[in-house]
Amino acid sequence: MSSHLEAGASGSPLTVRQKLEYGGLAIAGWVLRKLPYRAVVAVSKWLGTIGYWVDSRGRAVGLQNLDAAFEDSKSPAEKSRILHASYQTFARTMCELFWSPRFHEIADSVIRTEGVSPADRERPAIYVTNHFSNFEWLGQNLVSTLGPGIVIAQRLKNPLLGAYFDRLRSTTGHEIVPQERAIGRMLRHLRSGGYFCAVVDLNLDPREASVVIDEFSGLKTCVTQIHAALAKHTGAKIVPSECRPQPDGTYRMIYHPPLEFTDDTPPAALAQQCWDVLERGIRDAPECWLWSYKHWRFRPSGPGHERYPAYGNSASRFDAALRRDFPDGEPGMAA
């Protein structure tokens, strides 16, 4: 451990702040793992409430997102309740990630798995999800049925935190792959019949390997196309997946039927299919999605787009991507 505390991945010395961040996180994780599972769930609710009241910027973003997604179909009080519960959901997900080394103790009693079986090992697969409920355990849960897959190591500003989270995500048997070699490793892994999980609702810049999709009947955003590209190169199936919390505190881990597509299906159409399946879960249980994230950082140019959050900005590169993926046109866009 001492070598990890002396230098980051680039070899540069770690700052005092980075060491303190790691120390605080490691202590918090150690304490949580000493608690019984039900106590961890209870603690996470309090932590989520604290986060909701302390994070004024995230709260403002979340309310803008809820206004954009649901407009007048939900009252301001409903939106505030959803946002508060969203903070509690994310806190529970993070607390349960810290508790992952003990996941095997409660898996049979807390997790109900639907839509996956050992027969699914016969074909490579990409399980895609959103930042919805416990997306972390959604991937770890597959190990008991399909065996270990791969997890792409996150590149964080503090390399100690990245390594810490990697260890937590690999506790059920997954292999951690450095982000620098991710594409090649994923291709080889899929071609050998393996699988991996991917979170696909992060908002990307149009200059990245992204496509534009439509969310909540009118909100356009750039998301990754990596799952579509890899599936078309390897013949892997794409399986939209979601974790649904139940009133009794348990989880339904739902692995939906694979998407249907051909070699001619555009990546944007595949990404749209994924979203369309998973959006139903967000509409059914909006408190489970991460609303405090800036999902719509870009908006189309021109008038008629007041529905987008105030933090969204227009950009010519977004307009160009929109014309590419929606060739029939977007209302209000300049020709």
Side-chain angles (χ1 to χ4, degrees):
M1 180 179 290
S2 59
S3 62
H4 289 300
L5 291 175
E6 293 302 323
S10 63
S12 59
L14 292 165
T15 66
V16 172
R17 177 177 177 177
Q18 287 175 322
K19 295 178 182 180
L20 289 174
E21 286 175 344
Y22 170 76
L25 198 68
I27 291 171
W30 181 85
V31 171
L32 283 170
R33 285 191 292 277
K34 294 296 181 181
L35 299 177
Y37 176 68
R38 295 298 177 185
V40 172
V41 175
V43 167
S44 70
K45 290 185 179 180
W46 286 100
L47 292 176
T49 294
I50 293 171
Y52 172 77
W53 289 112
V54 170
D55 185 20
S56 58
R57 288 186 179 180
R59 198 165 65 244
V61 168
L63 291 174
Q64 289 182 45
N65 284 338
L66 285 159
D67 285 341
F70 296 112
E71 299 184 277
D72 296 330
S73 64
K74 296 186 184 298
S75 69
E78 286 179 296
K79 293 171 184 174
S80 294
R81 179 195 62 77
I82 291 168
L83 184 58
H84 183 183
S86 172
Y87 271 83
Q88 292 179 320
T89 297
F90 187 70
R92 178 179 176 182
T93 298
M94 291 298 99
C95 287
E96 289 175 339
L97 177 60
F98 291 151
W99 209 80
S100 289
R102 298 179 62 184
F103 176 75
H104 64 280
E105 297 178 18
I106 52 87
D108 290 339
S109 59
V110 173
I111 308 297
R112 189 171 80 215
T113 304
E114 305 174 18
V116 66
S117 71
D120 291 309
R121 298 173 185 167
E122 298 174 1
R123 182 181 171 189
I126 304 170
Y127 293 87
V128 297
T129 190
N130 291 334
H131 285 86
F132 183 87
S133 187
N134 197 331
F135 56 92
E136 296 283 359
W137 278 5
L138 190 67
Q140 295 190 19
N141 179 57
L142 287 168
V143 174
S144 61
T145 304
L146 302 180
I150 61 174
V151 175
I152 307 305
Q154 286 187 305
R155 186 188 295 116
L156 301 179
K157 292 181 179 179
N158 185 340
L160 294 178
L161 299 189
Y164 181 76
F165 284 117
D166 290 345
R167 290 194 295 273
L168 292 174
R169 292 176 175 127
S170 65
T171 53
T172 56
H174 287 313
E175 177 188 354
I176 302 297
V177 176
Q179 195 168 13
E180 293 75 15
R181 302 196 299 269
I183 298 298
R185 184 66 182 86
M186 286 189 289
L187 274 170
R188 291 192 296 273
H189 186 69
L190 291 173
R191 284 171 176 162
S192 68
Y195 75 92
F196 69 89
C197 301
V199 180
V200 295
D201 61 343
L202 290 178
N203 187 203
L204 301 184
D205 190 286
R207 289 174 293 201
E208 301 178 77
S210 61
V211 291
V212 181
I213 63 171
D214 180 86
E215 300 178 343
F216 296 100
S217 302
L219 296 172
K220 304 296 189 293
T221 191
C222 283
V223 296
T224 183
Q225 62 167 313
I226 188 65
H227 51 303
L230 288 173
K232 295 180 75 171
H233 274 86
T234 63
K237 60 185 178 182
I238 298 178
V239 183
S241 312
E242 59 182 324
C243 171
R244 292 280 195 111
Q246 301 302 294
D248 62 358
T250 61
Y251 285 128
R252 289 175 61 205
M253 300 293 189
I254 306 170
Y255 304 94
H256 294 280
L259 301 180
E260 295 184 4
F261 61 94
T262 68
D263 292 340
D264 297 328
T265 304
L270 261 178
Q272 185 69 59
Q273 286 185 54
C274 292
W275 174 262
D276 290 344
V277 173
L278 297 174
E279 183 183 300
R280 294 195 290 268
I282 299 174
R283 289 186 178 275
D284 289 345
E287 68 279 1
C288 292
W289 201 38
L290 187 61
W291 290 101
S292 56
Y293 173 77
K294 292 183 178 180
H295 292 285
W296 300 291
R297 288 187 293 128
F298 295 94
R299 65 169 71 198
S301 299
H305 300 291
E306 292 77 12
R307 182 183 170 188
Y308 284 80
Y311 62 75
N313 296 299
S314 59
S316 59
R317 61 186 184 276
F318 181 68
D319 293 339
L322 192 55
R323 287 191 291 267
R324 177 198 65 207
D325 294 328
F326 287 84
D328 292 336
E330 164 71 4
M333 277 194 63

